[in-house]
Amino acid sequence: SSDLGLTSVEASVSQAERLRCRKRDSTITLASAQFDGRAVIADPAALVAGLCSGIGHGRMLGHGLLSLAPLRS
C-alpha cells in the first residue's frame, strides 16, 4: 500500500481469523490475517516508519506486526 511506501503489491491471504478479547465490561474483536506476496519498495522511509510503529488498529494489542524477507531465487 502507498501508506507503507510499497508499490506493485501482489499478495494473497494465507491465514485469517477473528480474535476476541475482553476488556473490563466490553469485548474487543480483531480480524487477524497473514498476507504472503511480494512488493517493490518505493519509499524506504515510509516503510521504516511502518515497521517501527506497526500497522492497523490492533497495534496496541500486539497486532500490526509486519515481517519482510528478500525474495528467494
Side-chain angles (χ1 to χ4, degrees), residues 1-9 39-48 68:
S1 85
S2 60
D3 296 296
L4 291 174
L6 301 175
T7 61
S8 301
V9 176
V40 174
I41 300 170
D43 184 348
L47 182 58
V48 168
L68 301 175

Side-chain angles (χ1 to χ4, degrees), residues 19-33:
L19 305 169
R20 290 197 162 99
C21 305
R22 293 203 51 91
K23 185 173 182 180
R24 297 187 195 124
D25 295 331
S26 62
T27 301
I28 299 170
T29 303
L30 294 174
S32 176

Side-chain angles (χ1 to χ4, degrees), residues 38-64:
R38 56 188 188 180
V40 174
I41 300 170
D43 184 348
L47 182 58
V48 168
L51 286 170
C52 291
S53 64
I55 59 172
H57 298 291
R59 298 188 300 273
M60 66 184 150
L61 298 172
H63 284 247

